[in-house]
Amino acid sequence: MSNSDVSKCPTEGLPEYAFIGRSNVGKSSLINMLTNHKGLAKTSGRPGKTQLINHFKINNQWFLVDLPGYGYARVSKTTKRVFQKFITQYFEKRKQLICAFVLVDIRHEPQPIDLEFMQWLGENAIPFAIVFTKADKLKPQAIERSVEVYQQVLLETWEEMLPYFITSAESKLGKEELLQYIEDINTTVK
């Protein structure tokens, strides 16, 4: 189900896990990897492809929610404001939301827009975990350094490091850990 109106989202009450990140962070590729569906989420070289709230029902047990990217997208300012509005409404109104996964490209140092978004989630008491994407593009030591830099920055404002996952849609790295995390939460929610 896809729409831009939070009130029209599914009413089944199944747990929801929302995936969000800056435009072009690899969200659609990650979703396709997690679901073993090559074309489920539309991938594009053009940032800002996802423009709706997309619900995908997984094994009749939970919803994977693909949200539009924040930040850069080749859309008008008016359209961007509409995105921001319904993303905010989604997070404020969806009681079924169990956890948000904030995707960040592991190749880049912590970006203010990502940190501000995580801060907003924290201030609004929305549970979330960080998903580092595109790990196949770095060597293991560079991955370690990148995560350490993130930890240092986050621990300046957070009491402890947030749950995080290192993933690659190319190599399927992190797939099992991420799905297990969701499965573990689902067993405690029921």
Side-chain angles (χ1 to χ4, degrees):
M1 176 182 280
S2 300
N3 65 69
S4 61
D5 185 344
V6 175
S7 67
K8 293 182 180 158
C9 287
T11 56
E12 295 171 61
L14 291 174
E16 293 182 5
Y17 296 85
F19 288 75
I20 190 166
R22 269 181 305 126
S23 298
N24 235 18
V25 74
K27 183 168 49 74
S28 297
S29 298
L30 180 81
I31 288 170
N32 292 339
M33 182 262 286
L34 289 173
T35 60
N36 288 327
H37 264 276
K38 218 174 212 151
L40 188 65
K42 302 287 182 258
T43 58
S44 167
R46 186 175 66 91
K49 182 77 174 159
T50 306
Q51 297 189 7
L52 297 168
I53 301 169
N54 298 299
H55 278 76
F56 301 108
K57 192 186 289 185
I58 309 296
N59 300 328
N60 288 321
Q61 295 176 348
W62 57 281
F63 279 108
L64 185 158
V65 184
D66 180 8
L67 294 171
Y70 51 81
Y72 173 80
R74 275 194 202 132
V75 294
S76 70
K77 282 188 173 142
T78 308
T79 305
K80 208 174 275 189
R81 273 196 300 274
V82 170
F83 281 5
Q84 270 25 84
K85 188 171 181 224
F86 73 72
I87 290 170
T88 304
Q89 285 178 342
Y90 173 83
F91 282 113
E92 289 173 345
K93 294 183 176 174
R94 291 302 282 178
K95 302 288 181 239
Q96 300 90 326
L97 177 67
I98 302 297
C99 181
F101 291 103
V102 180
L103 279 60
V104 295
D105 187 329
I106 198 159
R107 299 173 299 174
H108 304 303
E109 59 188 45
Q111 301 291 306
I113 193 167
D114 293 322
L115 298 171
E116 287 165 18
F117 185 68
M118 291 178 205
Q119 191 67 37
W120 183 85
L121 289 172
E123 288 167 0
N124 287 277
I126 297 163
F128 70 96
I130 300 169
V131 178
F132 292 101
T133 61
K134 305 185 182 186
D136 57 289
K137 310 274 194 237
L138 294 178
K139 292 189 174 4
Q141 283 180 320
I143 289 171
E144 231 173 87
R145 272 196 309 275
S146 193
V147 172
E148 282 172 15
V149 168
Y150 241 94
Q151 285 177 328
Q152 288 170 356
V153 171
L154 287 171
L155 291 175
E156 289 172 13
T157 52
W158 295 82
E159 286 183 25
E160 58 187 45
M161 183 57 183
L162 300 151
Y164 68 89
F165 300 89
I166 296 168
T167 68
S168 163
E170 289 294 312
S171 68
K172 300 196 181 338
L173 174 72
K175 176 181 178 178
E176 296 308 317
E177 293 84 352
L178 201 45
L179 291 173
Q180 189 61 56
Y181 183 75
I182 292 169
E183 183 63 33
D184 291 347
I185 293 173
N186 281 342
T187 56
T188 60
V189 170
K190 289 177 184 171

